[in-house]
Amino acid sequence: MEKEDILKITNKIIGKLCKRSKSIGVNITFSQDAISLIAERGYSKKFGARELRRTIIQMAETPLAQKMLDGEIKSGDNIIATSNGDEIIFSQLHQAN
């Protein structure tokens, strides 16, 4: 499998996460760096993309859910998911007045 294929699969799964989040009023956008980090961590030559879903849960879904439970992210928020090279960082996007 080529890197391009892994990125396509990652984008598709992340798109579903964004759609689910939007259904509860949280708009999330993932930067290309964040998507690339997830794709890199979720792919192995031995297992292919099989670990990708688990990687997305560990790196994005679980931390995002925890922030929602803690009240850091709530309905109506606009969130950007970026990468610091090691993990996914969720930040509020502030609207210009």
Side-chain angles (χ1 to χ4, degrees), residues 6-23:
I6 300 302
L7 287 171
K8 284 181 188 177
I9 295 167
T10 304
N11 273 307
K12 185 175 182 174
I13 298 171
I14 291 292
K16 289 178 183 180
L17 170 61
C18 293
K19 188 175 182 178
R20 284 195 319 270
S21 296
K22 191 170 190 162
S23 74

Side-chain angles (χ1 to χ4, degrees), residues 4 10-12 19-21 30 34-35 47-48 54-57 70-71 80 82 86-87 89-90 92 95 97:
E4 199 173 289
T10 304
N11 273 307
K12 185 175 182 174
K19 188 175 182 178
R20 284 195 319 270
S21 296
F30 279 76
I35 290 170
F47 297 111
R54 183 172 298 128
T55 301
I56 290 170
I57 290 169
D70 292 344
I80 181 78
T82 57
D86 191 44
E87 64 184 350
I89 307 297
F90 296 99
Q92 294 272 352
Q95 301 289 334
N97 292 332

Side-chain angles (χ1 to χ4, degrees), residues 28-57:
I28 302 174
T29 303
F30 279 76
S31 71
Q32 195 56 48
D33 287 345
I35 290 170
S36 293
L37 178 64
I38 292 168
E40 179 183 307
R41 296 269 176 90
Y43 175 78
S44 74
K45 288 186 183 211
K46 183 176 181 182
F47 297 111
R50 289 187 192 109
E51 292 295 314
L52 191 52
R53 181 75 182 113
R54 183 172 298 128
T55 301
I56 290 170
I57 290 169

